[in-house]
């Protein structure tokens, strides 16, 4: 092995993982981060926590004044949970990790994430989290907007029925029984809003590597990304 290859393997980088809902981004990103001892940030959880706050406080999304005022009252933090061995999101000191996964939040979050003020508020925080590198961040605009210079960008895709089944399983593990048709409806609606919104729409960065997870086992997804890290041509 040449010394330049060794340097590539040892380099501490930013890994940006983007893609549609339910492609396995979060679970894959979490596992990749754990294997590398990197920090993991689920940016979807941040949009969901803001949505929960807006829902509870009846914030009118169309009122810029109300949105700006609400954002000044929101403090988001990630804290490591020893029981589940994963990081949980806190909204103003309250652990809301499970609450933000409820269907009524999933139904509202895409609309909240079209609001420019919300995106600027969260993107600024996400960039700060990456200043020391050694981070895996997943979302919709990580490789295009948050970290356009990320050394490794992955864009995950999967067919809708596969994504819906995965989401149903995830919800079941949280104690929620949801019909597959309702999940498919929600995924398709969110795909449309996420990819057509004016402010940083979901799209594959030109230099992102696409991984279709439809026929991949979870472990294969994780291994694929870890292998990409060892290929100098995949790392910017
Ligand atoms: O990954 P998720 O399904 O938990 O994300 C919830 C919503 O948040 C998703 O519909 C779009 C939005 N989102 C976004 O606009 N930008 C991100 N970086 C992450 C999520």
């Amino acid at each position: 092995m040449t010394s330049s290859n060794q340097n590539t393997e040892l380099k501490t980088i930013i890994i940006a993982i983007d893609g549609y809902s339910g492609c396995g981004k979060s679970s894959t990103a979490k596992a990749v981060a754990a294997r590398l001892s990197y920090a993991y940030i689920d940016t979807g959880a941040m949009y969901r926590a803001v949505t929960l706050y807006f829902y509870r406080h009846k914030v009118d999304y169309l009122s810029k004044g109300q949105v700006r005022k609400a954002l000044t009252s929101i403090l988001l933090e990630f804290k490591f949970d020893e029981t589940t061995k994963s990081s949980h999101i806190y909204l103003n000191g309250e652990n809301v990790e499970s609450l933000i996964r409820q269907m009524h939040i999933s139904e509202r979050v895409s609309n909240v994430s079209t609001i420019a003020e919300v995106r600027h508020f969260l993107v600024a925080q996400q960039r700060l989290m990456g200043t020391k590198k050694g981070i895996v961040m997943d979302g919709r605009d990580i490789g295009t907007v948050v970290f356009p210079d990320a050394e490794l960008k992955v864009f995950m895709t999967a067919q809708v029925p596969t994504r819906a089944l995965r989401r149903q399983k995830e919800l079941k593990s949280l104690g929620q029984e949801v019909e597959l048709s309702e999940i498919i409806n929600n995924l398709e609606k969110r795909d449309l809003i996420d990819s057509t919104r004016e402010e940083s729409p979901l799209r594959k960065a030109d230099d992102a590597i696409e991984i279709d997870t439809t026929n991949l086992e979870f472990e294969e997804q994780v291994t694929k990304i870890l292998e990409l890290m060892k290929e100098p041509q995949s790392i910017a």
Side-chain angles (χ1 to χ4, degrees):
M1 187 182 284
T2 65
S3 61
S4 74
N5 270 345
Q6 277 170 354
N7 283 343
T8 307
E9 278 186 43
L10 293 174
K11 206 169 140 190
T12 302
I13 64 168
I14 292 179
I15 304 179
I17 303 184
D18 289 303
Y20 295 97
S21 313
C23 292
K25 292 188 307 291
S26 299
S27 43
T28 308
K30 200 182 291 180
V32 168
R35 308 256 173 110
L36 296 169
S37 297
Y38 275 22
Y40 163 62
I41 298 295
D42 171 1
T43 63
M46 299 172 82
Y47 286 91
R48 286 171 179 273
V50 168
T51 305
L52 176 65
Y53 184 92
F54 282 12
Y55 175 73
R56 283 176 170 173
H57 295 268
K58 301 190 172 49
V59 175
D60 175 3
Y61 308 162
L62 300 177
S63 157
K64 284 205 185 305
Q66 282 194 33
V67 166
R68 286 201 191 109
K69 185 163 177 276
L71 292 175
T72 63
S73 308
I74 294 179
L75 173 70
L76 300 178
E77 296 162 288
F78 284 97
K79 293 184 192 169
F80 194 74
D81 180 77
E82 281 300 336
T83 320
T84 56
K85 297 277 176 236
S86 61
S87 73
H88 284 189
I89 191 159
Y90 283 69
L91 167 63
N92 294 335
E94 175 190 358
N95 183 341
V96 293
E97 185 65 32
S98 299
L99 286 177
I100 58 166
R101 313 279 164 200
Q102 292 177 324
M103 275 310 276
H104 72 98
I105 298 299
S106 297
E107 276 157 15
R108 291 169 171 85
V109 64
S110 276
N111 282 326
V112 171
S113 59
T114 62
I115 305 170
E117 284 77 5
V118 171
R119 302 207 70 84
H120 299 163
F121 173 74
L122 294 181
V123 168
Q125 297 180 32
Q126 290 155 7
R127 287 191 177 141
L128 280 179
M129 293 169 185
T131 45
K132 289 194 189 140
K133 303 208 177 205
I135 193 167
V136 184
M137 192 173 275
D138 84 83
R140 305 291 187 289
D141 59 344
I142 312 305
T144 51
V145 175
V146 182
F147 296 123
D149 297 328
E151 289 85 350
L152 176 60
K153 298 182 187 176
V154 173
F155 191 83
M156 288 174 71
T157 61
Q159 284 167 11
V160 171
T162 310
R163 292 163 53 200
L165 279 168
R166 288 181 187 157
R167 192 60 102 189
Q168 191 182 43
K169 207 168 142 196
E170 183 191 338
L171 286 167
K172 198 168 180 186
S173 73
L174 295 170
Q176 298 176 56
E177 296 282 349
V178 184
E179 287 286 333
L180 209 57
S181 57
E182 191 184 338
I183 297 176
I184 290 178
N185 197 9
N186 174 259
L187 286 181
E188 288 179 336
K189 238 196 266 168
R190 284 205 283 148
D191 284 356
L192 184 70
I193 301 175
D194 294 348
S195 53
T196 57
R197 67 179 174 227
E198 224 170 275
E199 188 75 26
S200 43
L202 167 65
R203 68 168 183 86
K204 176 181 167 294
D206 296 336
D207 50 350
I209 294 158
E210 187 165 331
I211 301 180
D212 182 344
T213 69
T214 308
N215 297 310
L216 290 184
E217 294 293 335
F218 176 70
E219 192 51 39
E220 291 176 303
Q221 294 167 199
V222 177
T223 312
K224 245 184 186 336
I225 296 177
L226 292 172
E227 276 170 2
L228 284 175
M229 283 192 71
K230 295 183 197 147
E231 294 173 10
Q233 68 273 23
S234 309
I235 307 286

